[in-house]
Structures are given as structure tokens and as C-alpha cells.
């Protein structure tokens, strides 16, 4: 083998409880953050303008960043510079009066070059946002239930199936908590990433369960076999997502950067959940659960 | 080895090569696989022809333009039993009881259900008031029969009207559709290239109800108004025109049914006699002397003119009905054009609710940059994946075909998108990157499984290991499809494209590219 190989981890010194404790503690912490956020703000995650309502303008202007808020009657929620393009800023408002905001931008900001000041407008009314929230919740819920049913159908035994469902749940909850911590609001892109995570996260769990339960042989050997493949898969995807997140952020393409970032965090959480949580449940099941 | 056995042994690889070939034709050969207009929903071909090196169609996010999604204003009472001949009477009672215009009330019979519906296109009447007004009209209705929203036939009519409006306004490549939310609320989604949100909103918020009103002396020193022509009374409408005599105007003809009545009214009210050339609409001190024909759009007077002698003559002699044409004047070219569009497209049956809308707009220049940027982002991601795979296996025989196969998957998908002219947006780009990600994951599973524990020295060993790998891949593919299915069905903004591309990618992967990769790997490892 060449450049890098997946290290063989010796799990034998640790009990099942010790192994499961780490991911469960992280999950508990993540849930605590979401609960705290819910108690403080009324929603478990910060909603982006696509869900809460508001307006986002992309402007090309020679004016300084500090002058931008003064151009508008409404106070911007945020002003973000786009790295790849000088003089381009993404400005967000809670107001949904996009025509007034566009006019103010065109009137009060100095154009950069010959182009229009306002390059892009996205405006969502509060009612439309609330509708999108319900749709998104329904979508994520349906996907999660569908995935759970499929997991049970594939393995037809309780513990391994539950292990898959619990780690997928944790894979979604941990990035949500991280989003709150680093200040990424929930947007259409992040919802897509969360759904994608359900698909990605289950891959490595199925691989592990399949290797241990269907292939037989020594437990440690089966785990290592699955890990060699699974970790390679996850690390490859993480690398691709990290590059996508960095490139898209530099270019100012929000949708791609949030998908990349959330998938990166979620896949890291998946390594933890698959190879500590799912593994400990499987080991308990193989050694003790089957005997009962 | 005969041809048949070669094909039999390598059919998976052959299928992959054929599909990639077809995809390349669909992508790059001008005209593509299908005739231009076959699937093109009025797309942007004209703009792209010659300029773009591929046959890919782009959506708003990558081509520039404006999209407004807005619900329709209105409430509907359903499953009403009304005698067929009483529908008009019920409508009239509703107008009186609730104090709304005739344009904002509609009672319709639905063939398929055998019931009537009553719709109100205003937002300030409660369900209870609506039901009470229906009961006053002698219809058995309760508050429970009333819901927010309008009927499908109203939405269809709105979509048709908007389509005509944007085509008449010269906006090629516009698209109108409806999308629904899980709670049953519908949105009308209008997309046009090359218009700002403010311009599109103006086009959509004009309901476009045109009428001609006679404004004439009441004989007691004041003025009175009478509606003499309504939208439905026009038989033909020409595009806006200009000449020295009339200025900006729209030539129109009145239908055979409406013409005699119009002519009689004009004669009776004095427009063809004392009123010729007598219109000082809005000027002080002219009350009781004005003979004006008012052109009214959405309740606003856009133009006021007296009748000219050229028209008054044939009207007076009664010959006008033989060839019932006249010109409607307008103060500017823009208003003449708007008038012509409104007359031809008909009015929006119900107004759109811009308080609860979603607007998205991108300048074409920015969209052009997004095309390049998303291509660069995609290429960087693919290079990263290739790099990691090389590092991991350090065996070109394994990693090379892996990257090539994953790319083949993207090419086939792109070809498919070009063939059906699916308008690509940023969300599709995210989908393509996700497809490379899941694709390579599955190829890693195959490679690891097949190369496990020493060399693969026979076809039988290979086949058994490949089958085992395939169980995992199939299971993983099924989960991804299930996870993405809700997004493909629900209309959650831009994400439908992402979900559709991901699902298609997984399907192509499982049925075509991954089996082919297995064959390639077997050939490279066993030499068979």
C-alpha cells in the first residue's frame, strides 16, 4: 500500500460502554445546544432568510464596506465581502421590501465599473418562509423515516438496525449544533446537505454491519476490513467537500459552500458515530445480544 | 474469440462506452439528439445558439433573470349545489352582499365533480361572511365549505394569461408554472430572463382589466359614466402602432354581438352628434359639456378622448356595425403596448399576493461568472477526489479507472440533461459533485472487496467478491434514493434539481458504471 493506509485501531482495551460514551456525550452536548438555542430564540437553529423571510442583495460597488449600511433605510443583518471578486458584497436584511432595497442600493451606492449595482436579489416573505420550513421539516422527516424502515428491512434484527438509525440521527444533529456555534443559518443548501448526510452516513454503517454480520469471521478482523474501506470513503468525500466549501466561499456561491461545509462536519461526525457508537452496539450484540 | 463472445464478455463496458458516446453527441453536436423545440419549454435556445459550446440549457441561477413565486389572492367555497340557471343570480347576490366588483366574484360549474364552486378574489372577506353571503343567495353553505386559495381552473387560467403576457411583452424564454406546498397552498411561479424584479412585478401586478367607459353630460349640469365595452367585447386586437394622425394607438375590432349595442349607445348618449371633438376630461369648468370615451385599466383612467368625425359618421348612419373597428388611443408607446397586451392576454382572473411571495433575481453577468465558478469548483472537487484515491491505493490500475468511471457518470448525466434540455442551476451543480462523491465511494467498496486478501487469480473468485460488494452498494444506493426522494417530489425552492440529479446519478451508477468498473478491474487484475 502506498501513500496512506487506514490505521488499525485496537478496541479491546475499552468496554462497550466506554466506546459508546464518547459519541453519546457529543450527541448529548449537541442536543443541549439545540435545546438551549430553542429556549433562547424560539427555534432550535438560526433560520436563514429562505426560512425566516428577508432579503439578500448581491451588490457590486466601489463604496467601502463600512459605508454600505448607511445606503439603506433598513439596518442590514449582515454584510459579507466576496473574496474572489473585489467590490462585491452580499448584504442581508430582515425587511422583505426588495424593490425599495434595490432602489436604495442603486441610488446610494457607487457602481463598480459599468455593471449594475444590484447583481442579484433573493427575497422571501415571512409566510413563504414558514411554508418552506414546514416543507423542509416534512422532507427531512420523510427521508429519515424511509431510511429507518430500509435499515430494518435490510438487516431484520433490532440492535444493528437501531445502531444505524441512531448514528444517522446523531450525524444530522451534530452538524446542526455546529451550525449554531459557528453562526451558519439554516438554508435550502444546508437542508440538502443534511439529507445527503443521511445517504452518506448510512453507507459506512451498512458496510460495517454487513462486514460483521453477514460475512462472519473474527470480529476485530471484520471491523478492520470494513474500516479500511469505510474510512477511505469518508475521508475522500470529506476532502472533496472541504475543497468545495473553500472554493465556493471564495467565489461567493452560498448554496455550494454551505452544502460543502455541512457535509464536511457531518462526515466527521459520522466517523465518530460509525466507529465508536455503531461499533460498540454491534460488538455488544455479537458477543452478548445474540446469546440471549 | 468471436464477436458474440466478445460482446457477451464485455457488454457492461460496451454499454458504458455507448452511453458516454451518446451523451457526448447530446452535449456537443449542434442540434443535439432531439429537435430543438421538442422538449424546450420555450427555453433560451435563441440566445444560446452559436454562443454556447454545448447543448446544455441553463436555469435562472446560471443564465440570469428573475423569478417570482406568489400565491393567488382568494377564497373558495366548494361542493355547492346550485341550479345551473341560477349561477349568474348567485354571483350578483354575492357582489351586492359583500360589496365586491363583478371581476372579483366567480361561480363555476365543474363537470368532473358535478358541483359548483364560488370564488372571491379579495382578501378582506372572512370565511364566515362568505358563507353568510352564499346563504343569502339561497345556497346551502357553511363556514366549513370555505377554504383559502382558488380553484385549479382559476390557476390554469392565470398561468395561461401570464404566459401570453410575457410572450406579448417580447420576453422569450419565459416560463410559468405552479408549485404546491404540503399544506395545499399553491404558488404561481413566473420566470423571465432580462427583467428586473420591479419590472416583472409590474407586469404581474397589473391585473389588466380593460374597459371603455362613456363619460357624458347627465343633462343636469353634471357628468355621468356608463361602461360601454368590456374585455370580452373585443374580437381582434392589433399590436400597438403609431401614426401622425392618431399618435400612439391600438387598432381594435368589436365583436359582432357587442357592436350594435355599442353603436346604439354612442348615438343615444350624443357622442356621434354634439359630442364630436368635445372632451376636456379633468379640466375645471367643463362639467356638463364633456363627451369622453375613457379607457380604464384596473380601475384607473389611462386615456380620455372624444369621438373623431371619421368614426362618428358611420356610427350615426349605422354602417359602422358592418365593419366594427376603431382605434384606442394611448398617451405613450409604453401604455399603448401595455393596453394591447392586456387586451390580447385577457385579464388575470385573480390577483397575485405579493405580500407573501418569494423573489429571486440574478444579473446575466453574475450568472455568467457563476457558470465559470461552479465549473471550477466542480473540477477542483474531482481533482481532490482523484488525489486522495491515488494516495490511498498507489496503484494506477485501480485508481485510474476509478476516476475515469466516476467522470463517465457525470458525462452521461450531463448528456441526459442536455438531451431533455433540463435547465441547469447551481443546485444541479451541487448534485453533480454529490454524484462524483457517492460514485467514488461505491467504486472504493468494489475495489477493496475485490482485492481483499491477495490476488484475484480467477474469474470465479472475482465474481463472488464482486457480488458481495454489490450487496452493500445496492443497499447504499437504495438509502440515498430514499433520502433524496422527498426533495425530488416536494417543491422546496431550488433543491428539486439537486435531488433529481443525485437520484439519476445513483441509478446510472448502480446499473451502468459500477458494473462496468468491476469488469475493467477484473480485466486489469486477472488479465482475462
Amino acid at each position: 500500500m502506498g501513500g496512506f493506509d487506514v490505521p488499525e485501531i485496537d478496541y479491546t482495551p475499552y468496554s462497550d460502554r466506554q466506546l459508546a460514551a464518547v459519541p453519546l456525550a457529543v450527541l448529548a452536548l449537541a442536543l443541549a445546544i439545540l435545546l438551549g438555542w430553542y429556549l433562547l430564540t424560539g427555534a432550535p437553529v438560526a433560520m436563514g432568510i429562505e426560512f425566516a423571510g428577508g432579503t439578500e442583495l448581491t451588490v457590486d460597488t466601489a463604496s467601502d464596506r463600512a459605508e454600505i449600511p448607511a445606503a439603506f433605510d433598513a439596518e442590514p443583518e449582515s454584510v459579507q465581502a466576496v473574496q474572489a471578486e473585489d467590490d462585491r458584497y452580499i448584504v442581508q436584511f430582515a425587511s422583505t421590501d426588495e424593490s425599495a432595497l434595490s432602489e436604495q442600493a442603486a441610488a446610494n451606492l457607487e457602481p463598480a465599473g459599468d455593471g449594475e449595482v444590484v447583481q442579484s436579489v433573493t427575497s422571501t416573505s415571512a409566510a413563504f418562509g414558514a411554508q418552506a420550513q414546514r416543507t423542509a421539516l416534512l422532507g427531512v422527516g420523510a427521508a429519515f423515516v424511509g431510511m429507518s424502515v430500509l435499515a430494518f428491512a435490510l438487516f431484520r434484527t433490532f440492535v444493528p438496525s437501531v445502531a444505524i438509525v441512531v448514528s444517522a440521527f446523531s450525524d444530522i444533529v451534530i452538524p446542526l449544533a455546529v451550525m449554531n456555534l459557528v453562526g451558519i443559518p439554516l438554508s435550502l443548501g444546508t437542508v440538502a446537505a443534511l439529507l445527503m448526510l443521511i445517504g452518506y452516513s448510512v453507507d459506512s454503517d451498512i458496510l460495517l454491519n454487513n462486514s460483521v454480520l453477514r460475512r462472519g469471521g473474527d470480529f476485530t478482523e471484520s471491523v478492520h476490513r470494513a474500516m479500511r474501506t469505510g474510512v477511505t470513503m469518508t475521508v475522500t468525500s470529506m476532502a472533496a467537500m472541504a475543497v468545495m466549501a473553500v472554493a465556493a466561499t471564495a467565489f461567493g456561491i452560498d448554496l455550494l459552500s454551505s452544502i460543502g461545509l455541512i457535509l464536511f462536519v457531518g462526515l466527521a461526525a459520522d466517523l465518530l458515530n460509525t466507529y465508536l457508537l455503531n461499533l460498540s452496539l454491534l460488538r455488544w450484540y455479537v458477543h452478548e445480544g445474540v446469546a440471549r | 474469440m468471436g464477436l458474440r463472445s466478445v460482446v457477451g464478455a464485455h457488454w457492461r463496458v460496451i454499454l458504458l462506452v455507448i452511453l458516454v458516446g451518446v451523451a457526448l453527441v447530446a452535449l456537443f453536436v449542434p442540434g443535439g439528439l432531439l429537435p430543438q423545440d421538442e422538449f424546450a419549454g420555450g427555453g433560451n435556445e435563441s440566445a444560446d445558439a452559436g454562443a454556447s459550446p454545448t447543448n446544455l440549457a441553463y436555469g435562472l441561477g446560471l443564465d440570469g433573470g428573475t423569478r417570482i413565486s406568489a400565491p393567488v389572492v382568494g377564497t373558495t367555497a366548494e361542493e355547492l349545489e346550485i341550479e345551473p340557471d341560477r349561477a349568474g343570480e348567485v354571483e350578483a347576490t354575492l357582489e351586492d352582499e359583500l360589496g365586491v366588483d363583478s371581476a372579483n366574484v366567480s361561480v363555476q360549474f365543474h363537470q368532473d365533480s358535478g358541483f359548483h364552486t364560488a370564488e372571491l378574489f379579495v382578501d378582506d372577506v372572512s370565511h364566515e361572511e362568505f358563507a353568510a353571503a352564499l346563504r343569502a343567495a339561497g345556497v346551502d353553505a357553511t363556514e366549513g365549505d370555505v377554504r383559502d386559495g382558488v380553484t385549479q381552473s382559476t390557476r390554469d387560467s392565470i398561468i395561461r394569461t401570464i404566459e401570453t403576457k410575457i410572450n406579448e411583452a417580447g420576453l422569450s424564454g419565459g416560463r410559468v408554472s405552479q408549485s404546491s406546498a404540503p399544506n395545499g397552498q399553491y404558488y404561481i411561479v413566473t420566470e423571465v430572463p432580462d427583467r428586473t424584479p420591479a419590472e416583472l412585478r409590474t407586469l404581474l401586478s397589473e391585473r389588466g382589466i380593460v374597459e371603455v367607459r362613456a363619460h357624458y353630460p347627465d343633462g343636469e349640469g353634471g357628468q355621468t359614466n356608463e361602461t360601454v365595452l368590456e374585455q370580452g367585447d373585443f374580437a381582434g386586437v392589433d399590436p400597438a402602432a403609431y401614426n401622425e394622425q392618431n399618435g400612439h394607438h391600438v387598432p381594435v375590432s368589436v365583436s359582432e354581438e357587442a357592436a350594435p349595442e355599442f353603436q346604439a349607445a354612442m348615438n343615444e348618449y350624443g357622442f356621434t352628434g354634439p359630442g364630436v371633438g368635445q372632451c376636456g376630461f379633468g379640466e375645471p369648468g367643463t362639467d356638463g359639456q364633456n363627451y369622453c370615451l375613457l379607457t380604464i385599466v384596473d380601475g384607473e383612467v389611462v386615456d380620455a378622448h372624444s369621438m373623431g368625425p371619421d368614426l362618428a359618421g358611420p356610427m350615426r348612419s349605422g354602417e359602422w356595425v358592418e365593419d366594427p373597428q376603431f382605434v384606442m388611443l394611448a398617451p405613450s408607446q409604453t401604455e399603448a403596448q401595455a393596453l394591447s397586451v392586456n387586451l390580447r392576454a385577457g385579464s388575470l382572473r385573480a390577483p397575485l399576493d405579493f405580500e407573501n411571495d418569494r423573489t429571486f433575481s440574478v444579473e446575466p453577468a453574475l450568472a455568467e461568472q457563476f457558470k465559470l465558478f461552479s465549473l471550477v469548483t466542480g473540477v477542483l472537487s474531482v481533482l481532490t477526489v482523484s488525489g486522495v484515491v491515488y494516495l490511498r491505493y498507489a496503484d494506477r490500475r485501480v485508481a485510474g479507472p476509478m476516476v475515469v468511471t466516476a467522470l463517465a457518470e457525470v458525462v452521461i448525466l450531463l448528456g441526459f440533461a442536455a438531451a431533455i434540455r433540463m435547465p441547469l442551476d447551481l443546485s444541479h451543480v451541487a448534485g453533480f459533485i454529490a454524484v462524483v462523491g457517492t460514485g467514488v465511494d461505491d467504486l472504493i467498496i468494489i475495489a477493496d472487496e475485490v482485492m481483499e486478501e491477495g490476488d484475484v487469480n480467477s474469474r470465479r473468485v472475482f465474481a463472488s467478491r464482486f457480488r458481495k460488494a454489490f450487496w452493500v452498494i445496492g443497499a447504499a444506493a437504495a438509502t440515498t434514493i430514499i433520502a433524496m426522494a422527498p426533495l425530488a417530489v416536494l417543491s422546496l425552492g431550488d433543491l428539486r434539481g439537486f435531488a433529481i440529479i443525485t437520484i439519476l446519478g445513483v441509478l446510472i451508477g448502480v446499473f451502468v458504471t459500477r458494473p462496468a468498473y468491476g469488469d475493467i478491474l477484473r480485466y486489469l487484475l486477472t488479465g482475462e
Side-chain angles (χ1 to χ4, degrees):
Chain A
M1 285 292 167
F4 79 90
D5 201 357
V6 177
E8 197 157 347
I9 299 170
D10 186 9
Y11 286 99
T12 41
Y14 308 100
S15 71
D16 292 331
R17 273 176 206 207
Q18 282 172 323
L19 288 179
V22 180
L24 286 179
V26 175
L27 176 60
L29 181 68
L31 285 172
I33 291 172
L34 295 184
L35 181 69
W37 208 268
Y38 176 72
L39 293 176
L40 287 175
T41 67
V45 282
M47 297 289 172
I49 60 160
E50 283 149 332
F51 291 116
T55 303
E56 180 181 289
L57 297 184
T58 302
V59 293
D60 279 2
T61 174
S63 307
D64 282 343
R65 181 188 171 139
E67 297 168 15
I68 292 177
F72 300 98
D73 292 348
E75 182 69 21
E77 300 271 295
S78 71
V79 180
Q80 179 197 336
V82 174
Q83 277 120 5
E85 200 71 22
D86 286 343
D87 296 337
R88 178 167 296 162
Y89 303 90
I90 296 173
V91 194
Q92 295 196 329
F93 300 88
S95 158
T96 54
D97 189 357
E98 50 86 13
S99 32
L101 292 171
S102 303
E103 276 168 27
Q104 289 159 15
N108 302 334
L109 291 173
E110 203 177 310
D114 327 325
E116 297 283 328
V117 171
V118 179
Q119 285 287 316
S120 170
V121 183
T122 311
S123 177
T124 308
S125 65
F128 200 103
Q131 194 72 259
Q133 269 183 42
R134 278 193 290 274
T135 311
L137 201 63
L138 185 78
V140 174
F144 196 82
V145 169
M147 180 277 296
S148 311
V149 169
L150 190 71
F152 275 88
L154 286 174
F155 291 101
R156 293 179 200 176
T157 36
F158 188 71
V159 175
S161 313
V162 164
I164 292 181
V165 174
V166 172
S167 24
F169 177 71
S170 180
D171 284 351
I172 295 178
V173 169
I174 292 173
L176 278 176
V178 171
M179 277 163 62
N180 279 349
L181 293 181
V182 300
I184 301 177
L186 192 72
S187 64
L188 290 176
T190 50
V191 169
L194 293 175
L195 286 169
M196 202 62 217
L197 262 182
I198 295 181
Y200 270 125
S201 107
V202 171
D203 282 10
S204 55
D205 293 318
I206 290 179
L207 196 70
L208 179 65
N209 284 8
N210 179 58
S211 181
V212 171
L213 298 176
R214 290 171 55 106
R215 302 283 302 275
D218 174 51
F219 182 80
T220 317
E221 200 182 292
S222 307
V223 167
H224 183 61
R225 184 174 54 209
M227 274 185 84
R228 219 172 43 218
T229 308
V231 173
T232 306
M233 273 160 55
T234 309
V235 168
T236 312
S237 303
M238 280 172 75
M241 289 308 144
V243 168
M244 172 162 135
V246 171
T249 309
F251 290 140
I253 307 179
D254 278 355
L255 183 77
L256 297 189
S257 62
S258 41
I259 290 182
L261 191 67
I262 297 306
L263 273 176
F264 182 81
V265 174
L267 287 170
D270 183 50
L271 283 178
L272 190 75
N273 286 320
T274 306
Y275 301 109
L276 289 178
L277 183 61
N278 189 357
L279 181 125
S280 62
L281 282 168
L282 262 185
R283 191 167 74 174
W284 177 86
Y285 174 77
V286 168
H287 291 152
E288 297 177 36
V290 175
R292 285 191 189 179
Chain B
M1 222 192 270
L3 181 66
R4 180 171 294 180
S5 62
V6 170
V7 171
H10 300 289
W11 67 271
R12 294 185 190 90
V13 181
I14 292 170
L15 180 64
L16 177 67
V17 172
I18 290 175
L19 281 181
V20 170
V22 171
L24 288 175
V25 169
L27 268 175
F28 293 111
V29 173
L33 280 184
L34 300 161
Q36 286 281 339
D37 46 354
E38 188 94 334
F39 278 87
N44 303 323
E45 293 80 38
S46 50
D48 287 346
S52 165
T54 65
N55 292 325
L56 287 172
Y58 297 102
L60 221 51
L62 292 176
D63 229 3
T66 296
R67 171 171 56 226
I68 294 182
S69 315
V72 180
V73 174
T75 44
T76 302
E78 281 176 318
E79 307 208 334
L80 305 175
E81 291 188 38
I82 301 174
E83 299 292 315
D85 51 336
R86 283 196 57 238
E89 186 190 326
V90 171
E91 239 180 66
T93 314
L94 287 175
E95 282 165 37
D96 292 347
E97 288 284 322
L98 299 166
V100 294
D101 287 348
S102 62
N104 287 326
V105 181
S106 161
V107 175
Q108 285 181 307
F109 180 69
H110 295 271
Q111 205 83 48
D112 40 343
S113 66
F115 287 107
H116 277 79
T117 56
E119 292 168 282
L120 279 185
F121 307 131
V122 291
D123 53 8
D124 54 358
V125 173
S126 73
H127 291 187
E128 203 183 335
E129 289 166 341
F130 191 8
L134 280 168
R135 284 194 296 275
V139 179
D140 181 25
T142 63
E143 203 184 326
D145 295 330
V146 183
R147 64 169 174 86
D148 284 329
V150 297
T151 59
Q152 181 64 47
S153 72
T154 297
R155 285 192 300 273
D156 288 342
S157 140
I158 290 174
I159 289 172
R160 273 195 306 272
T161 308
I162 296 177
E163 267 171 2
T164 320
K165 274 190 170 203
I166 57 182
N167 287 336
E168 294 281 331
L171 301 174
S172 70
R175 272 189 286 265
V176 192
S177 58
Q178 74 174 14
S179 76
S180 62
N183 70 348
Q185 182 161 23
Y186 285 88
Y187 294 90
I188 305 292
V189 183
T190 312
E191 287 188 7
V192 293
D194 298 334
R195 278 294 184 281
T196 65
E199 288 165 340
L200 180 59
R201 186 173 296 201
T202 309
L203 188 77
L204 293 180
S205 55
E206 270 181 0
R207 186 126 170 235
I209 301 175
V210 181
E211 56 180 329
V212 175
R213 220 174 269 177
H215 179 77
Y216 60 97
D218 58 4
E220 295 164 12
Q223 294 283 132
T224 186
N225 289 312
E226 187 75 37
T227 300
V228 282
L229 285 176
E230 286 180 320
Q231 196 109 28
D233 296 335
F234 293 95
V237 180
D238 284 350
Y242 179 86
N243 60 28
E244 293 271 312
Q245 188 194 351
N246 293 322
H248 293 285
H249 65 275
V250 180
V252 295
S253 63
V254 177
S255 70
E256 274 178 40
E257 296 79 37
E261 216 173 300
F262 180 56
Q263 179 175 281
M266 289 296 95
N267 288 330
E268 184 194 332
Y269 302 153
F271 276 81
T272 54
V276 173
Q278 294 294 319
C279 175
F281 185 74
E283 286 168 27
T286 56
D287 275 5
Q289 306 154 39
N290 279 335
Y291 289 86
C292 296
L293 285 170
L294 309 181
T295 304
I296 294 179
V297 179
D298 292 341
E300 304 248 335
V301 178
V302 297
D303 194 66
H305 271 91
S306 62
M307 187 170 286
D310 293 353
L311 182 57
M315 278 250 181
R316 226 176 9 245
S317 65
E319 287 160 19
W320 180 76
V321 283
E322 311 292 324
D323 183 21
Q325 300 190 17
F326 69 104
V327 298
M328 292 176 79
L329 304 181
S332 70
Q333 192 199 352
T334 324
E335 286 183 71
Q337 220 160 29
L339 185 63
S340 168
V341 166
N342 281 332
L343 280 172
R344 271 191 287 179
S347 60
L348 282 188
R349 196 184 283 173
L352 296 177
D353 178 6
F354 292 108
E355 292 293 301
N356 296 309
D357 73 332
R358 179 177 154 81
T359 305
F360 171 70
S361 166
V362 182
E363 280 290 310
L366 181 63
E368 201 55 44
Q369 279 187 333
F370 276 168
K371 258 186 228 171
L372 177 68
F373 289 167
S374 53
L375 184 68
V376 172
T377 308
V379 168
L380 282 176
S381 310
V382 170
L383 286 180
T384 312
V385 168
S386 319
V388 176
V389 168
Y390 266 110
L391 277 178
R392 170 71 177 79
Y393 291 102
D395 185 345
R396 249 178 294 172
R397 288 186 307 168
V398 180
M402 206 180 259
V403 173
V404 171
T405 315
L407 286 180
E409 214 163 292
V410 174
V411 171
I412 294 174
L413 269 180
L414 280 173
F416 181 77
I420 66 162
R421 303 215 148 256
M422 176 191 268
L424 296 184
D425 258 318
L426 283 173
S427 69
H428 295 84
V429 174
F432 283 117
I433 295 174
V435 163
V436 175
T438 47
V440 167
D441 277 5
D442 289 351
L443 301 181
I444 290 172
I445 295 177
I446 295 176
D448 279 5
E449 189 77 35
V450 165
M451 295 188 309
E452 183 210 345
E453 288 167 30
D455 286 336
V456 185
N457 43 26
S458 80
R459 176 174 282 202
R460 203 179 49 78
V461 172
F462 179 91
S464 113
R465 289 179 182 177
F466 183 76
R467 256 201 311 280
K468 283 180 191 155
F470 224 76
W471 188 86
V472 179
I473 291 170
T479 17
T480 306
I481 291 174
I482 285 194
M484 284 296 145
L487 270 194
V489 179
L490 297 170
S491 50
L492 196 58
D494 310 328
L495 295 186
R496 191 179 250 175
F498 173 72
I500 290 172
I501 289 291
T502 310
I503 290 175
L504 281 176
V506 166
L507 289 175
I508 292 177
V510 167
F511 291 111
V512 182
T513 55
R514 283 152 225 186
Y517 177 70
D519 274 9
I520 296 170
L521 199 61
R522 184 188 64 202
Y523 174 74
L524 291 173
L525 292 179
T526 66
E528 284 179 34

